[in-house]
Amino acid sequence: MQSQTLRYMSASWRSATSGLCGARSGSTGIRGIRSTNLQTGVAVWPRLCSSSAPGHLDPSVKQKKLFTPGPLGVSMTTKQAMLVDLGSRDEAFIRIVRSVRDELVDLSGESRDDLTCIPVQGSGTFAVEAALTTSIPRTRPSVLVIANGAYGHRLAEIVNALPETGSCVKLTFPEDQPMDLDEIEGKLLEMGRKLTNVAAVHCETSSGQINPVEDIGKLVAKHAPQASYFIDAMSSFGAVPLSLSAAKAEFMVTSANKCLQGVPGFSLVFARMNALRRCGGNSRSLSLDLCKQYHGLEQNGQFRFTPPTHTILALHQALKELREEGGVEGRRKRYQENSEILRSSMAKLGFEELLDRSTDKSYIITSFKLPNHPNFDFKTFYSALSSRNLCIYPGKVTAAECFRIGTIGDLHASDIHVLLKAIEDVMKEMDIPLPLQQ
């Protein structure tokens, strides 16, 4: 039956694209493949349509290579998977949703009897809020958020929006420094048995830091075993090894459009079955109630509200490509290679990283300090790279003026070299000698 579904999808895609841009019957309607001009450092991407064709894409909108932590670039085959229209109650779609949910639990390394995956319409923050508002009790909540960056602070902001909590306890560490496990243990001992929930971020993408969420979970289990432990693994799940069992975590969230290399449109909550059963009636939201979302999916395989059908089809394809790459370990190797090429080459150019060697850095994204040169202007730098179809990210920390470069998504070593060549060229245009003198 699954092969019939795939044949149907393939045939539907051929039918859908046969008329695009005046393409002949049986052709894809997609012109060219990605190439890069190593001399100019300009990335060249395929165009779906020509400007003279009916229904063409806006010719002013160009494909860009995204060196960002999300939204990020995905493969052409993942994009093609969305060229199929399926109804929300279509049997083929229901089977695909079930397959995606099961495969994601398998990817976590946990048992399907113990853990479930609940897709939530919306960005990653929707999943974070769904998990927190569902897991935090209505009566006498006591929440500890451990933060060292913008996304940790967002957890506290979400908790503080709940009427019963008033304010949560936020244990804050510097953005450019690792979390102190001794200090965390001290706070857990102080709050002890009154704690109901503890939350932390695995990869803090505002800086690129990896936090010791497994060690934190062990401390929570030791000193506050009654507390529900939540991990934000938004930009790490699928490429950075993480054991939910070792972390003693009951809830974890991630996005379809991070290391899984799907497209934006929905996010994912992983929940322990025994924890989810305790949470009925907790949610302060109709659409973000994980218990009701789970029961609806289990009862008839359907979402309670309009599902993101096309983006789920994209993730279904993206998970196939993740398997073909070698799973979490295979993807980790590619991302790590990307990161190592970037960091070593940027160091040779004189750029300084935000995080020092004592910090557990991720290979997801790297923060670089802005050059201390009178000719450097980030807006000019950013725009010059963008004009070459290369997109980086501005900084998101308060400790220093930075910019960020992501090394995840459909990025490969050749793409990193193109970006590095472009950076050299732009710095030359800005009349800034390399290597930089900090």
Side-chain angles (χ1 to χ4, degrees), residues 65-361:
K65 202 64 176 178
L66 304 180
F67 296 86
T68 65
L72 45 76
V74 302
S75 69
M76 181 58 74
T77 44
T78 295
K79 296 172 187 174
Q80 290 168 355
M82 293 188 289
L83 297 177
V84 177
D85 293 328
L86 290 179
S88 60
R89 291 170 174 77
D90 193 301
E91 291 182 2
F93 178 68
I94 290 173
R95 285 194 296 272
I96 288 171
V97 171
R98 180 78 264 174
S99 173
V100 165
R101 292 178 63 206
D102 288 345
E103 189 164 354
L104 286 166
V105 172
D106 294 343
L107 189 64
S108 74
E110 303 292 318
S111 166
R112 295 183 191 177
D113 295 330
D114 183 47
L115 191 76
T116 187
C117 178
I118 308 169
V120 176
Q121 300 96 315
S123 70
T125 302
F126 283 64
V128 172
E129 188 156 358
L132 290 175
T133 192
T134 298
S135 63
I136 295 174
R138 287 176 177 264
T139 58
R140 294 186 295 277
S142 177
V143 184
L144 172 64
V145 171
I146 306 167
N148 63 344
Y151 296 98
H153 297 310
R154 184 178 295 179
L155 300 182
E157 188 177 358
I158 290 171
V159 174
N160 286 336
L162 299 178
E164 298 88 355
T165 55
S167 64
C168 68
V169 174
K170 184 167 65 172
L171 181 59
T172 303
F173 294 95
E175 297 167 308
D176 57 350
Q177 297 295 321
M179 291 181 171
D180 187 326
L181 288 171
D182 289 337
E183 191 172 342
I184 292 171
E185 184 168 27
K187 179 59 69 174
L188 289 169
L189 284 168
E190 175 189 327
M191 299 185 74
R193 297 285 173 171
K194 69 178 183 179
L195 268 174
T196 58
N197 301 79
V198 178
V201 175
H202 186 204
C203 177
E204 179 53 72
T205 47
S206 61
S207 63
Q209 189 165 184
I210 291 288
N211 292 320
V213 291
E214 290 186 10
D215 292 332
I216 292 172
K218 292 172 184 176
L219 293 175
V220 173
K222 179 179 179 181
H223 300 297
Q226 77 289 344
S228 178
Y229 182 41
F230 165 90
I231 297 175
D232 177 341
M234 199 67 62
S235 57
S236 59
F237 181 78
V240 181
L242 171 64
S243 170
L244 294 182
S245 292
K248 314 293 184 185
E250 291 189 337
F251 293 88
M252 181 194 77
V253 299
T254 193
S255 168
N257 183 233
K258 301 291 186 181
C259 297
L260 298 177
Q261 293 186 194
V263 301
F266 70 103
S267 45
L268 304 155
V269 179
F270 293 79
R272 296 285 179 194
M273 294 300 303
N274 58 353
L276 195 62
R277 294 188 189 101
R278 298 196 304 266
C279 293
N282 281 350
S283 182
R284 289 78 163 172
S285 167
L286 173 65
S287 60
L288 298 180
D289 188 330
L290 285 182
C291 293
K292 291 182 179 178
Q293 185 89 334
Y294 168 78
H295 288 307
L297 288 166
E298 290 296 308
Q299 184 176 11
N300 55 24
Q302 298 176 19
F303 286 73
R304 294 178 299 147
F305 310 109
T306 303
T309 53
H310 297 85
T311 57
I312 288 177
L313 293 177
L315 182 59
H316 187 246
Q317 170 64 24
L319 289 173
K320 175 186 176 184
E321 294 174 14
L322 176 58
R323 289 196 307 271
E324 292 171 348
E325 189 171 5
V328 173
E329 181 61 19
R331 188 145 293 175
R332 179 195 66 78
K333 288 181 179 178
R334 175 164 59 84
Y335 288 177
Q336 200 162 39
E337 180 186 12
N338 290 345
S339 180
E340 288 170 356
I341 293 170
L342 175 71
R343 284 181 170 145
S344 62
S345 298
M346 290 290 278
K348 290 176 183 177
L349 296 179
F351 285 89
E352 182 182 354
E353 292 185 36
L354 171 69
L355 303 178
D356 62 29
R357 295 188 179 186
S358 67
T359 306
D360 190 1
K361 305 173 187 177

